[in-house]
Amino acid sequence: DTPVGSAVVVIYSIIATAGASYYVFRVLTATDGHMLTAFIPVVSAITLLMIYFAVAYDLEYHMVPGSFTGDHFGNDIVTELFTFVYFSVTTFATASMGDFSPISNASRILVTLEVLFFVYIFTMGIVFFADS
């Protein structure tokens, strides 16, 4: 049983990922492949989306207590958020260390969205900077 809150988090995550993807595309096309001009806006968009996913993972963790495996998420909100930032960064880099895993359907969709965003960013980097 997926709570309504989980569905809302997934829908907003799809919108946020699509928006960030579109923004990155627009920045890369506007800078015409000049890496230095595109660097700060693209890195900012990537960073904001990773932080967004960390918060989305934390929300899912609170709405569905068994949505992630792992036994050391933290006892306070700061430690917990730091843990999910770590999880977001390792997921984005597709280098998940295996200490946390998504269990619920909503958490799996969130992880899939973040990995797909990485694939999109990687592909855009190849397409726009291959000839630079």
Side-chain angles (χ1 to χ4, degrees), residues 3-84:
V4 173
S6 293
V8 170
V9 169
V10 167
I11 290 168
Y12 277 120
S13 298
I14 291 169
I15 293 168
T17 304
S21 299
Y22 180 72
Y23 174 76
V24 167
F25 175 77
R26 295 292 294 173
V27 166
L28 291 175
T29 54
T31 58
D32 200 29
H34 297 293
M35 192 179 312
L36 292 178
T37 309
F39 180 76
I40 290 177
V42 170
V43 168
S44 298
I46 291 169
T47 303
L48 285 174
L49 199 63
M50 283 193 293
I51 292 169
Y52 171 84
F53 273 106
V55 172
Y57 295 144
D58 195 24
L59 283 171
E60 178 64 19
Y61 174 70
H62 283 284
M63 286 187 290
V64 182
S67 57
F68 291 92
T69 61
D71 57 349
H72 46 286
F73 290 101
N75 298 333
D76 60 301
I77 190 68
V78 174
T79 307
E80 202 173 274
L81 279 173
F82 181 76
T83 299
F84 282 111

Side-chain angles (χ1 to χ4, degrees), residues 91-104:
T91 298
F92 181 79
T94 64
S96 181
M97 303 302 169
D99 45 358
F100 305 108
S101 308
I103 298 298
S104 70

